[in-house]
Amino acid sequence: MAVPLHHPVDLLRFNTSGSVDDGKSTLIGRLLYDSKSLMEDQLEALERSADITGGGQINLANLTDGLRAEREQGITIDVAYRYFATPRRKFIIADTPGHVQYTRNMVTGASSANLSIVLVDARLGVIEQSRRHSCIDALLRIPHLVVAVNKMDLVGWSEERFDEIRTQFEEFLPRLDLKDVTFIPVSALHGDNVVDPSPRTPWYRGPTLLGHLESVHIGSDWNLSDFRLPVQWVNRPNHPSDPRLHDFRGFSGQIAGGVVRVGQQVMILPSGFTSTVKEIWTLDGPLHEAFCPQSVTLVLAHDIDVSRGDVIVDPASLPGAGSILQAKICWLHPRPLQSGRKYLLKHTTQTVQAVVTSIEHRINISNLEQEPAAPELAMNDIGAIRLKTSRPLIFDGYATNRLTGSFILIEQGTNATVGAGMLLPPTELAQPEYRDFSI
Amino acid sequence: MSGYHLDHLQYLETEAMHVLREVAAEFERPALLFSGGKDSICLLRLAEKAFRPSEIPMPLLNIDTGHNFPELNAFRDRRAVELGARLIVRTVDDAIANGIAVQPPGQISRNHLQIPTLLAAIDEFRFDACIGGARRDEEKARAKERFFSFRDSFGQWDPKNQRPEIWNLYNARLNPGENMRVFPLSNWTEMDVWEYIRRERLEVPKIYFSHLRQCVRRHGQLLPVNELDPPRPGEPIFDLIVRVRTIGDIVSTGCIESPADDVDDIIAEIAAACVTERGSRADDAVSEAAMEDRKKAGYF
């Protein structure tokens, strides 16, 4: 883990998914082990558990299967996060379970990922699980996909087998609208093509898995074109003696899209008031411009009433607005989604009441085909729904912006997070409420 | 690569600021746990980044085991004054005197007694959220921890009943008596913490840097000589150049032999280190599931 001093590196978030026995945990263990990201005491703990359960053989999967319940059941039951670094990048791994009933955890791990690794067992080829995982990655619009064809040692390092699996996968890809897909033949157990190139696959000329993770371009994974600042917190020092701080009024939040500059005209939604950016305040001094996903505090030229849940936008690229919405939703809770039920909906920084007015169809996540309208969506189902909210949302389609196009549903009473929603593109753009009123 | 790109520390910073502002906006009575340790020092700076030029809109809370390093308490008190923040200290000593915490006979470490003391403080001030500096890279059970970690009315963590966290949308809703622990540094590693301390030029207590200290070797660890758990008969005492890597209470915090006397040295040392940070804490070595058990009982 030799990180050179004073060398800024960027950060790649990826998730791994696969079936129960296709060696996902072993692959992560291998990445950590071969990139020298393991420490002596972690190795010792591994060796201790090897003596108990592994008959003396170090089991790299023990590195990631953290909770006791998992070790007992031998499967990963929740999302676990791992960290490692190379001189080129820092990595956050969301290790998400592959077992069929845990789609919700995969959605969780994938939601913030730049890249997803789908593991395929070379002996089994593309199976239902591989399709499901790729479909979820596609629905969540993960920018980059890696298909790691694992256990190549068990198919004699066969180029034909690798090509066969690639063809199986490619037949199914056009439906998914995935832009960047890379195939790599590996053996997680033996380490081939994980960190070091394998001498046993001379026919493969692509990068190793780590080589690819270190070099894939992630600079355009955020929306940098449509400025959006959902106001998170109104910053009013109300300082009793310092007159500058007495009148300071800033709007704090994380930029959810685009770039903002001092002097730029902005519009506050839903009110529609316009103003210009007077200052981009940060603790480190004022900025000339700021971009997604920076957290900043904007000071506007006019004294306008702005509160949490409002969105500050560029009037030249207006978002959608509306309280009648269409979305795809992944259901996360054992109590099924039924049309007519009311939930709380959290979108950017506001929480509103919402009623699910209809379930349009269920999405078959093995092929993304629509199935006839179901009366309800069960846990791990993905479907298309219509919603009505108590207040209009200021939003973008999820395909345009993952931050302003996503929401969660919360069950009232238990406060459980029950649904993860992705909004379809708006049918109407925001219409300022006070169109003729300009300050 | 375009100019609109954050490096890893800037990314971790904006993520943590977002989490802190969500806490300020969504909870009525949050508190920020501040021990004076390196992680909570980063937390305080992030709170300044999130809330200045306003005051930090929450008090600082420290659970003092009574076995804290004296250097740490002095640092804690001074920083609170410098920041103009309200500091609340609740002590395990008082909790024992009031019968809130009970020390098992023969046990010296008070680490686990922080649990009832913290829960009593939450009850006393009716805190609905406690912000802590825990990181997922510290330990296996923490690797599954959420940013917003839901605790039931007994303060317990149920790893099977955590709320899914999707995108950057945090569900902060609670029923009366329930509580949230919030960990803005979830995605930080030990290296990130030190790199941030260097970038932000943050002051840290001197015990993180090498100094001369009397130590004993016990169970493979170097423990500082202290009055609470004095050297045992026949146990040799060594004068060593050491520093601490992580700070718990004085009877269970191991020292490492190290010449690192500034932040650059520490970063170089971590880059070359071959034992994880928690490897120097006796409380985790007990069993592989040690942290999982403490967290289920309401530990930070």
Side-chain angles (χ1 to χ4, degrees):
Chain A
M1 206 173 80
V3 178
L5 303 182
H6 305 291
H7 178 63
V9 290
D10 64 2
L11 192 150
L12 177 104
R13 303 184 65 140
F14 68 95
N15 79 320
T16 52
S17 50
S19 310
V20 176
D21 291 320
D22 56 14
K24 182 168 51 71
S25 295
T26 308
L27 181 74
I28 296 177
R30 174 61 66 185
L31 269 175
L32 299 174
Y33 190 81
D34 284 3
S35 63
K36 315 268 187 292
S37 304
L38 290 179
M39 307 288 183
E40 256 173 29
D41 54 334
Q42 289 176 310
L43 284 171
E44 270 169 31
L46 260 188
E47 278 159 15
R48 262 204 310 275
S49 57
D51 292 338
I52 299 163
T53 56
Q57 174 101 31
I58 285 188
N59 182 356
L60 288 169
N62 277 350
L63 278 172
T64 57
D65 291 348
L67 296 185
R68 192 183 339 209
E70 290 179 342
R71 287 195 295 276
E72 286 160 3
Q73 293 173 27
I75 54 163
T76 314
I77 56 165
D78 201 338
V79 187
Y81 296 89
R82 306 286 154 191
Y83 304 84
F84 75 104
T86 70
R88 298 180 66 177
R89 257 186 190 155
K90 295 232 170 193
F91 299 97
I92 301 179
I93 314 173
D95 180 14
T96 52
H99 204 271
V100 66
Q101 67 262 44
Y102 292 118
T103 301
R104 68 172 223 163
N105 293 329
M106 206 200 127
V107 169
T108 305
S111 67
S112 53
N114 304 93
L115 178 147
S116 180
I117 300 174
V118 173
L119 260 121
V120 175
D121 185 327
R123 296 167 304 173
L124 305 176
V126 177
I127 57 169
E128 161 114 9
Q129 282 281 354
S130 336
R131 290 196 194 92
R132 289 171 71 98
H133 292 142
S134 319
C135 286
I136 292 171
D137 289 338
L139 278 169
L140 286 159
R141 304 196 77 85
I142 297 183
H144 314 278
L145 187 75
V146 172
V147 181
V149 181
N150 190 26
K151 305 195 183 182
M152 286 300 293
D153 49 316
L154 299 181
V155 297
W157 310 100
S158 159
E159 181 178 12
E160 288 73 29
R161 183 63 186 144
F162 179 72
D163 287 342
E164 211 170 275
I165 290 169
R166 179 203 281 258
T167 307
Q168 283 176 7
F169 215 97
E170 281 172 343
E171 278 169 11
F172 150 83
L173 273 179
R175 263 175 271 177
L176 301 189
D177 190 25
L178 285 162
K179 293 191 176 49
D180 174 28
V181 184
T182 305
F183 294 83
I184 305 177
V186 302
S187 164
L189 193 62
H190 302 292
D192 300 78
N193 292 329
V194 177
V195 171
D196 301 311
S198 171
R200 288 175 285 210
T201 53
W203 42 267
Y204 173 72
R205 290 186 179 78
T208 63
L209 178 61
L210 185 65
H212 182 65
L213 295 174
E214 283 184 319
S215 58
V216 61
H217 174 72
I218 55 171
S220 46
D221 288 0
W222 300 99
N223 177 319
L224 291 172
S225 47
D226 313 296
F227 170 62
R228 310 280 184 258
L229 181 85
V231 174
Q232 226 187 333
W233 192 72
V234 178
N235 196 324
R236 299 195 66 173
N238 280 326
H239 198 280
S241 52
D242 182 339
R244 210 189 75 87
L245 285 186
H246 186 268
D247 294 330
F248 184 95
R249 192 173 153 80
F251 306 110
S252 301
Q254 184 172 28
I255 298 174
V259 180
V260 63
R261 296 180 182 85
V262 172
Q264 174 184 339
Q265 192 186 41
V266 290
M267 179 181 282
I268 291 88
L269 292 170
S271 72
F273 290 129
T274 55
S275 184
T276 50
V277 177
K278 187 174 150 195
E279 186 180 355
I280 303 171
W281 197 97
T282 77
L283 187 71
D284 305 304
L287 298 177
H288 170 63
E289 61 178 5
F291 56 91
C292 174
Q294 284 184 307
S295 287
V296 294
T297 297
L298 294 191
V299 181
L300 302 181
H302 304 91
D303 192 14
I304 307 174
D305 184 30
V306 180
S307 50
R308 176 173 165 88
D310 290 347
V311 188
I312 305 177
V313 306
D314 175 0
S317 75
L318 285 175
S323 52
I324 310 277
L325 306 162
Q326 295 188 67
K328 291 174 185 163
I329 193 155
C330 174
W331 200 248
L332 309 170
H333 198 264
R335 202 162 16 258
L337 166 72
Q338 291 161 332
S339 72
R341 278 210 63 182
K342 277 187 187 155
Y343 299 94
L344 293 170
L345 181 154
K346 185 169 183 182
H347 168 255
T348 65
T349 57
Q350 77 168 335
T351 303
V352 299
Q353 304 254 6
V355 59
V356 176
T357 49
S358 68
I359 300 173
E360 301 285 288
H361 55 259
R362 200 173 154 270
I363 296 170
N364 181 331
I365 54 170
S366 300
N367 55 22
L368 291 187
E369 277 167 18
Q370 300 178 3
E371 291 179 347
E376 55 182 41
L377 292 178
M379 180 152 89
N380 298 308
D381 278 351
I382 295 181
I385 59 168
R386 285 175 184 271
L387 293 147
K388 188 172 188 308
T389 54
S390 57
R391 289 173 54 195
L393 302 189
I394 307 299
F395 69 99
D396 295 287
Y398 183 78
T400 315
N401 190 322
R402 281 163 99 180
L403 297 178
T404 55
S406 54
F407 64 87
I408 55 172
L409 292 183
I410 299 166
E411 183 177 69
Q412 299 188 42
T414 62
N415 293 326
T417 303
V418 292
M422 292 156 276
L423 292 161
L424 299 194
T427 49
E428 277 181 61
L429 295 185
Q431 303 263 342
E433 282 171 22
Y434 307 105
R435 187 190 290 273
D436 302 326
F437 190 96
S438 96
I439 317 179
Chain B
M1 198 175 285
S2 84
Y4 300 127
H5 195 69
L6 300 179
D7 72 22
H8 72 282
L9 287 182
Q10 291 168 327
Y11 174 85
L12 294 171
E13 179 182 77
T14 182
E15 177 181 72
M17 288 168 69
H18 173 77
V19 168
L20 285 165
R21 286 169 173 170
E22 282 300 282
V23 174
E26 294 249 11
F27 293 91
E28 284 175 31
R29 282 175 300 278
L32 192 151
L33 298 169
F34 178 60
S35 63
K38 65 184 192 311
D39 302 308
S40 63
I41 287 168
C42 288
L43 262 191
L44 265 193
R45 169 50 55 97
L46 290 161
E48 286 187 274
K49 296 236 177 185
F51 303 120
R52 293 297 189 212
S54 290
E55 298 296 318
I56 296 169
M58 54 196 69
L60 312 182
L61 172 65
N62 181 233
I63 303 302
D64 188 338
T65 61
H67 295 177
N68 285 6
F69 284 84
E71 300 93 324
L72 206 68
N73 283 1
F75 180 85
R76 173 197 73 193
D77 296 347
R78 179 164 58 77
R79 280 302 287 149
V81 171
E82 285 166 2
L83 287 166
R86 177 182 172 211
L87 173 68
I88 298 167
V89 177
R90 286 294 173 268
T91 67
V92 169
D93 282 321
D94 285 346
I96 291 173
N98 297 332
I100 293 166
V102 180
Q103 180 76 313
Q107 188 162 25
I108 295 162
S109 168
R110 288 174 158 189
N111 218 321
H112 63 288
L113 295 182
Q114 293 178 84
I115 299 169
T117 315
L118 172 67
L119 295 181
I122 287 171
D123 202 43
E124 178 185 353
F125 294 96
R126 297 190 300 137
F127 289 130
D128 48 6
C130 292
I131 301 167
R135 311 187 320 265
R136 287 176 182 148
D137 85 319
E138 286 177 77
E139 202 275 338
K140 267 196 207 174
R142 289 241 198 254
K144 316 231 152 172
E145 186 60 275
R146 303 291 200 265
F147 277 86
F148 282 63
S149 178
F150 173 75
R151 306 297 164 104
D152 64 19
S153 52
F154 296 96
Q156 294 183 71
W157 182 69
D158 176 359
K160 290 195 177 176
N161 190 27
Q162 289 295 304
R163 296 171 178 175
E165 287 185 343
I166 307 160
W167 301 292
N168 62 351
L169 296 169
Y170 301 106
N171 173 359
R173 300 188 74 85
L174 295 175
N175 287 318
E178 296 169 346
N179 192 266
M180 202 71 84
R181 308 290 161 79
V182 183
F183 303 112
L185 305 183
S186 287
N187 278 331
W188 296 48
T189 63
E190 183 187 17
M191 178 64 102
D192 298 327
V193 165
W194 281 109
E195 288 185 327
Y196 195 68
I197 285 167
R198 176 168 67 188
R199 180 177 289 186
E200 295 291 320
R201 298 190 170 83
L202 299 177
E203 184 190 349
V204 296
K206 294 204 164 33
I207 53 175
Y208 281 112
F209 302 114
S210 70
H211 55 279
L212 184 67
R213 192 180 277 272
Q214 292 194 316
C215 296
V216 295
R217 283 186 202 279
R218 195 179 295 160
H219 309 307
Q221 287 193 308
L222 278 181
L223 296 173
V225 169
N226 63 86
E227 290 169 8
L228 299 160
D229 185 14
R232 293 166 193 175
E235 212 169 34
I237 296 172
F238 303 93
D239 285 311
L240 297 171
I241 300 291
V242 296
R243 67 179 200 87
V244 300
R245 202 167 160 195
T246 178
I247 301 177
D249 64 10
I250 199 163
V251 297
S252 61
T253 297
C255 298
I256 54 171
E257 283 190 84
S258 162
D261 58 8
D262 63 23
V263 175
D264 282 340
D265 284 355
I266 289 176
I267 288 173
E269 185 180 283
I270 295 167
C274 45
V275 178
T276 61
E277 191 182 344
R278 283 199 166 258
S280 59
R281 275 172 75 156
D283 39 328
D284 288 330
V286 178
S287 88
E288 229 194 307
M291 175 67 92
E292 198 177 333
D293 291 337
R294 279 205 312 263
K295 276 166 60 80
K296 280 183 178 165
Y299 192 65
F300 311 129

